[in-house]
Each structure stands twice: as structure tokens, then as C-alpha cells.
Amino acid sequence: MPTYIADDLSVLPFTHEVKAGPYVAPAGEKVEDSLTKLGLWDRSFSAAQLLEWMDAAGIEKALIPAQVAGTWEVAYETVADLCAEAPHRLYGMAGLDPLDIMSGVRKLERGVRELGFVGAHSYPHWLQTPIDDRAFYPLYAKCVELDVPLQVQVGLAFQHTRTTVGFPVAIDTVAVDFPELKLVCIHLGYPWERELVAVAWKNANVYIGCDTHPPKTWAPEILDFLQGDGREKCMFGTNYPCLDFTEALTQIDALGLDGETKELLLSKNLRRLYRLT
């Protein structure tokens, strides 16, 4: 049996079918462009391959978003089917759609209540809708009602066609307006890590997803926070295919964290927040 040491906050639903479908359409909005630029386009998987790679690295559980991005999306059913291949190891998250608000609210509720998704997920950059835009607010209220955490992309938009709308200061507005909403700010807030740390320190309901960027490149502000006041507020992730599972964990080892801090970062914080056993 594999020895598990970690859980992953975010793994993209990069199956072979998704690679051949949503990730290449429509023209001008291709995810393929971004993944190719990063050298990641050849990292798609089957459910069996994903579990094999997770086992080899020591990762037991992973959260997978049903992606809603305006002109393209990975359907809820696609992610639910993938997670059904490995119950208690793969868990879905419901993508938020603020462009059709009431339909998005109903979709979110179905994802959680009927498909068993354990959280919600949002890409403000792809949607070109700022995090604190009122179009999101009914969806945030539904997350509170359903009592599920929300992952939201915070930081610079990587895609050259997207305008940056995920500024950490906007998270402060949402956290204050929705003190019961558990906000997980993924992608470290890069390059505004110091601002994100300040927002997470201030607001009890704001957490930081330590994903996408290699641990060896993490800003000093992140490293200080996760070893200090933020020990119970930071969670490890790869956002695979952005990071290789084994390489990311090897770099975590090289950070020299004490044992308890490392356990909180790699698994305990995530399991507590998402109520996973």
C-alpha cells in the first residue's frame, strides 16, 4: 500500500477527453494556448493514470473543479464521473457562473446536493468579472447556505487575452460582506503575496491555496505566514498539470518546515476545512 503524506487542493480535470474537447474550443479562448506556453499540454490523464501518479507521490486525496469560464467550461457531469472512478480520493467542486446568475445558483446547488461536490470554484479572470462584483453575490450567499468553501483565483491573469481582475484587496471586500463564507485564495495571490497575506491575517474566513507556483519560488511573506499566524490557513496544491506531484512535495521537504507545520500545510488544514476523512 502507498504511504500517503499529502492531499491536493486543486487538480485540473485534464482528462484525455477534456483535452480533446473543452480545452481546445472555441477559437480565441483556447486553454491549449496557455498550457502549451507552459509546456504542459502533454500531461493529460485517465482516472487510472491520475491515481497511479498520486500514489507514487504519496498524495491520497485531490479536489477537482468543474470549470466555468464564460465561453468554455468543463461540465459538472464530467467531473462527477471522474470522481466516481475513485470515491473518497477524488472530490468535485462546482464552478460558479455569474454570467447567468439564477441559473448559476441552481447549478451550484445541484452540484453540491445531487452530485456530492464538496466546494465551489471560480475563475474571475476567464469570466472577466471582478471577485467583488455584485453578480457573484447570490452565488456567495448560496455557498454560505450550502456551507461549502469557495476556491477563487487570486493574482495576475496569465493569459494575454485576459485582464487581471483578481486583486487580493477585492477578497477583503467579499470577506467582510460574507463573514460566513470560507474563501480559499488559490495561486498564492502572485505577485501580490504580501497583500494577500495581510487580507488572510485580517479575516478569519480567508485561507491561502499554496498551489501552481513551485514551492522553491514561494515569496518570503508566504513562508513566514504559513509558519506563523497562518499555520492553520494555508493548504498545499499542485493545480496539476502546473506542478508535478512528486517534484512539488520534494520542494516542500526542502523548505525545512517543522513537522506539525508541514502536516497542517500538506493535509490537515484541507481536511478540516472541507470536512474530509
Side-chain angles (χ1 to χ4, degrees):
M1 291 291 292
T3 300
Y4 296 120
I5 59 173
D7 301 307
D8 198 320
L9 182 67
S10 177
V11 170
L12 300 187
F14 194 24
T15 64
H16 304 312
E17 294 76 17
V18 168
K19 178 180 180 179
Y23 279 10
V24 295
E29 293 280 16
K30 296 179 181 179
V31 182
E32 178 183 1
D33 293 343
S34 296
L35 295 179
T36 299
K37 184 176 181 179
L38 292 168
L40 306 174
W41 187 238
D42 62 349
R43 293 190 179 184
S44 63
F45 53 75
S46 66
Q49 287 172 322
L50 175 60
L51 293 170
E52 180 181 343
W53 298 339
M54 289 169 57
D55 283 346
I59 294 175
E60 183 173 3
K61 300 177 185 294
L63 307 186
I64 301 176
Q67 297 169 299
V68 174
T71 57
W72 64 270
E73 67 179 270
V74 177
Y76 280 31
E77 289 76 15
T78 298
V79 171
D81 289 345
L82 175 60
C83 294
E85 296 282 333
H88 309 298
R89 295 201 63 190
L90 304 179
Y91 298 84
M93 294 182 291
L96 298 190
D97 186 358
L99 305 182
D100 186 351
I101 296 172
M102 284 312 301
S103 175
V105 168
R106 296 185 185 104
K107 189 175 180 180
L108 167 61
E109 182 160 24
R110 185 176 70 85
V112 174
R113 296 198 187 280
E114 297 181 20
L115 300 179
F117 290 170
V118 298
H121 180 277
S122 180
Y123 281 140
H125 299 317
W126 281 107
L127 296 163
Q128 287 295 268
T129 306
I131 295 167
D132 56 353
D133 192 288
R134 280 350 189 222
F136 273 119
Y137 273 40
L139 295 156
Y140 295 160
K142 180 57 70 171
C143 286
V144 172
E145 179 184 319
L146 296 169
D147 193 23
V148 293
L150 165 64
Q151 285 188 23
V152 60
Q153 181 181 5
V154 179
L156 184 72
F158 174 78
Q159 299 81 10
H160 72 277
T161 58
R162 303 288 87 189
T163 301
T164 294
V165 294
F167 296 103
V169 68
I171 289 290
D172 188 45
T173 300
V174 175
V176 170
D177 286 349
F178 292 90
E180 298 173 69
L181 176 63
K182 292 166 280 195
L183 288 156
V184 182
C185 303
I186 56 175
H187 304 0
L188 291 163
Y190 175 86
W192 301 291
E193 294 96 328
R194 186 176 186 183
E195 184 176 324
L196 180 56
V197 164
V199 172
W201 176 85
K202 174 196 170 188
N203 296 287
N205 57 326
V206 174
Y207 302 80
I208 297 179
C210 300
D211 67 284
T212 302
H213 301 279
K216 67 181 181 180
T217 70
W218 289 357
E221 291 85 357
I222 294 291
L223 294 173
D224 289 345
F225 188 61
L226 70 85
Q227 295 178 86
D229 291 338
R231 288 213 315 165
E232 297 188 349
K233 305 194 81 178
C234 296
M235 287 163 277
F236 164 80
T238 62
N239 205 39
Y240 185 90
C242 291
L243 299 181
D244 174 81
F245 298 123
T246 298
E247 185 175 349
L249 289 172
T250 298
Q251 291 186 23
I252 292 288
D253 285 340
L255 295 178
L257 306 177
D258 68 73
E260 183 178 358
T261 297
K262 188 174 176 182
E263 288 180 4
L264 288 167
L265 172 68
L266 291 181
S267 182
K268 287 186 175 181
N269 290 339
L270 185 152
R271 292 200 182 197
R272 182 181 64 254
L273 189 66
Y274 286 88
R275 297 192 294 273
L276 304 182
T277 57

